[in-house]
């Protein structure tokens, strides 16, 4: 058995045993609400060697139970603890040849940068870089970064929600013609969605999967 698969099986089984009570409780609470489509979200994704499988996820983001609910796929060998983000079949980039060389992962370079202001195609580049350079050392580094990244991501989401609430309160109290609809030099309204083009440089910066 390859070292990576041995790590997936040993650590994945231990994590599944530790998180099983929380996952069972969250699934029971969700079942009481009778969500349309059932307790688990299902989608078909592409795995190792291009084989497809049905990915089952508990859509509960608190404590990242959504990611932890995928641990059975790791134990069964359909996924890995570390790898490129799983993509549904037909999604842009899902049929890239390099994706077929490894199993999709619970965590990885793209997953750790989720929620940051990345250009739309940079997660794909991060995943491809991982596939081309992966090894046990890189996997260990990414696994060690994952808890802090998850906690930091939760904090960023809370801050973003607070900012949105403040903006909504300001908008509700602003008089017509205030900051929400600035006046142009010619006296016309420049409404949201019609802002001038920025001259910012949107070219991709150099990146590193383990930065």
């Amino acid at each position: 058995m390859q070292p990576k698969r041995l790590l997936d099986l040993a650590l994945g089984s231990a994590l599944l045993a530790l998180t099983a009570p929380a996952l069972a409780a969250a699934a029971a609470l969700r079942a009481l609400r009778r969500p349309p489509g059932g307790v688990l979200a299902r989608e078909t994704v592409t795995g190792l060697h291009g084989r497809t499988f049905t990915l089952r996820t508990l859509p509960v983001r608190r404590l990242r139970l959504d990611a932890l609910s995928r641990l059975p796929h790791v134990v069964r060998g359909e996924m890995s603890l570390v790898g490129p983000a799983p993509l549904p079949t037909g999604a842009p980039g899902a049929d890239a040849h390099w994706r077929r060389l490894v199993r999709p992962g619970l965590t990885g370079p793209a997953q750790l940068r989720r929620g940051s202001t990345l250009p739309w195609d940079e997660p794909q580049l991060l995943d491809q870089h991982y596939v081309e350079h992966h090894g046990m050392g890189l996997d260990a580094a990414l696994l060690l970064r994952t808890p802090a990244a998850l906690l930091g991501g939760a904090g960023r989401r809370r801050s973003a929600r607070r900012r949105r609430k403040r903006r909504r309160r300001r908008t509700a109290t602003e008089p017509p013609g205030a900051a929400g609809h600035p006046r142009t030099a010619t006296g016309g309204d420049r409404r949201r969605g019609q802002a001038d083009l920025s001259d910012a440089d949107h070219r991709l910066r150099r990146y590193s999967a383990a930065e």
Side-chain angles (χ1 to χ4, degrees):
M1 184 180 294
Q2 295 180 348
K4 182 177 176 68
R5 177 60 190 143
L6 186 61
L7 176 65
D8 287 342
L9 188 58
L11 185 54
S13 298
L15 289 173
L16 182 59
L18 288 172
T19 59
L23 291 171
L29 289 174
R30 183 168 168 80
L32 292 176
R33 300 172 184 171
R34 300 179 180 272
V39 174
L40 299 176
R42 295 171 173 81
E43 61 181 354
T44 302
V45 300
T46 302
L48 183 65
H49 304 314
R51 291 192 292 265
T52 60
F53 64 94
T54 301
L55 179 62
R56 294 173 174 84
T57 304
L58 181 65
V60 177
R61 295 188 62 84
R62 184 178 297 274
L63 302 177
R64 289 315 307 267
L65 293 178
D66 55 335
L68 293 172
S69 68
R70 297 175 175 181
L71 281 168
H73 293 287
V74 175
V75 175
R76 288 198 296 265
E78 296 167 328
M79 295 184 67
S80 178
L81 290 173
V82 183
L87 293 179
T89 55
D95 58 349
H97 72 280
W98 49 266
R99 283 189 172 276
R100 304 184 179 197
L101 303 177
V102 297
R103 295 176 177 88
L106 293 187
T107 188
Q111 294 94 312
L112 290 177
R113 298 287 293 275
R114 182 177 297 155
S116 62
T117 55
L118 288 173
W120 70 270
D121 57 347
E122 191 161 342
Q124 295 272 5
L125 297 178
L126 290 172
D127 278 341
Q128 183 176 359
H129 184 273
Y130 169 81
V131 172
E132 294 172 350
H133 300 89
H134 74 280
M136 294 301 294
L138 179 56
D139 282 9
L142 292 169
L143 283 171
L144 290 174
R145 286 183 55 195
T146 296
L150 293 180
L151 293 175
R156 287 193 299 270
R157 287 191 293 272
R158 286 194 295 268
S159 297
R161 285 195 294 268
R162 286 195 293 267
R163 287 195 297 270
R164 287 195 296 268
K165 289 179 180 178
R166 286 196 295 266
R167 283 198 297 267
R168 285 196 293 267
R169 286 196 293 266
R170 285 198 300 267
T171 301
T173 58
E174 285 173 352
H181 300 293
R183 305 285 295 183
T184 65
T186 58
D189 285 339
R190 188 177 65 196
R191 298 185 182 277
R192 186 175 299 172
Q194 296 176 336
D196 295 335
L197 291 176
S198 170
D199 59 355
D201 188 350
H202 296 289
R203 292 173 297 177
L204 297 178
R205 298 186 297 273
R206 295 177 65 86
Y207 66 90
S208 169
E211 68 179 4

